[in-house]
């Protein structure tokens, strides 16, 4: 389950998507440190300083990602000249992973704008992460993430549901249980 824990990159991507300033970022990280420590990767559970340093490193990267990515081919060529191989996918990933959605939902509900829920259409959720159909593996992944992050999906009128049973154009509402 370690892969479901928050990494510094995950937190930076969430903070970046929220558009927080320096002070708001520091406050957000403080609240995450206090309330979400069991959900942090092991290396950060006892080292707040390292968490803040790593999140700020990734925030800097994400703020200037296009410029950094534009220079990647030159770095890759230099590595080849030295006899090393630099796989592009390891360094130019856009952080568009389905796990990040569930991490984002949990943190937004607990530490963001005061709403105690997040809504999204199933079609939008699947399309945003490149899925066209609901496979058994995807259903299992949804269940695993909702269980791990203590999220309960609902449909209108706050009726509990499972994501696999929700229509493509139906709104899914996530709340913390």
């Amino acid at each position: 389950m370690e892969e479901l824990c928050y990494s510094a990159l995950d937190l930076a991507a969430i903070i970046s998507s929220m558009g927080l300033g320096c002070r708001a970022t520091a406050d957000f990280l403080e609240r995450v440190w206090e309330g979400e420590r069991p959900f942090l990767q092991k290396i950060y559970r006892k080292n707040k300083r390292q968490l803040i340093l790593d999140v700020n490193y990734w925030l800097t990267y994400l703020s200037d990602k296009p410029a950094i990515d534009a220079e990647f081919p030159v770095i890759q060529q230099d590595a080849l000249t030295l006899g090393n191989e630099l796989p592009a996918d390891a360094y130019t990933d856009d952080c568009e992973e389905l796990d990040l959605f569930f991490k984002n939902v949990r943190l937004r509900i607990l530490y963001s704008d005061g709403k105690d829920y997040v809504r999204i259409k199933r079609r939008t959720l699947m399309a945003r992460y490149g899925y066209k159909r609901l496979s058994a593996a995807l259903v299992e992944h949804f269940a695993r993430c909702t269980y791990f992050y203590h999220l309960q999906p609902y449909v209108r009128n706050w009726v509990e549901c499972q994501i696999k049973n929700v229509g493509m154009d139906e709104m899914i509402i996530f709340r913390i249980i």
Side-chain angles (χ1 to χ4, degrees), residues 47-159:
N47 195 341
K48 180 179 173 182
R49 181 179 183 276
Q50 190 64 51
L51 174 69
I52 292 169
L53 288 172
D54 289 354
V55 168
N56 283 316
Y57 166 83
W58 284 111
L59 281 169
T60 302
Y61 169 77
L62 292 173
S63 71
D64 204 19
K65 186 177 181 337
I68 294 169
D69 286 350
E71 293 190 19
F72 184 76
V74 174
I75 296 168
Q76 197 172 28
Q77 186 60 43
D78 288 345
L80 285 172
T81 303
L82 296 172
N84 297 316
E85 188 175 334
L86 214 54
D89 60 343
Y91 296 94
T92 58
D93 187 18
D94 287 329
C95 307
E96 295 292 329
E97 299 174 5
L98 188 56
D99 295 347
L100 188 58
F101 170 78
F102 291 101
K103 293 171 185 178
N104 192 348
V105 166
R106 180 174 173 82
L107 292 178
R108 281 185 184 266
I109 291 171
L110 292 174
Y111 305 108
S112 187
D113 57 16
K115 284 199 274 184
D116 64 346
Y117 65 91
V118 170
R119 299 175 352 155
I120 190 168
K121 283 187 179 180
R122 188 178 118 189
R123 179 183 307 279
T124 304
L125 173 62
M126 292 178 62
R128 184 180 294 168
Y129 298 99
Y131 296 100
K132 293 185 188 324
R133 62 181 199 81
L134 197 59
S135 66
L138 188 56
V139 167
E140 172 60 32
H141 190 74
F142 281 153
R144 196 170 117 203
C145 286
T146 55
Y147 174 78
F148 185 81
Y149 298 113
H150 305 285
L151 297 170
Q152 175 62 53
Y154 297 89
V155 290
R156 68 179 160 268
N157 298 324
W158 301 107
V159 175

Side-chain angles (χ1 to χ4, degrees), residues 2-55:
E2 181 72 14
E3 71 276 1
L4 294 178
C5 292
Y6 305 124
S7 69
L9 178 56
D10 294 334
L11 293 172
I14 291 167
I15 291 167
S16 182
S17 74
M18 294 167 73
L20 300 179
C22 292
R23 185 73 233 147
T25 295
D27 291 343
F28 179 80
L29 285 174
E30 183 67 35
R31 289 192 311 265
V32 168
W33 171 257
E34 292 301 323
E36 298 294 297
R37 205 170 307 163
F39 291 96
L40 294 173
Q41 288 181 336
K42 281 185 182 179
I43 62 171
Y44 301 121
R45 289 181 191 154
K46 294 183 179 178
N47 195 341
K48 180 179 173 182
R49 181 179 183 276
Q50 190 64 51
L51 174 69
I52 292 169
L53 288 172
D54 289 354
V55 168

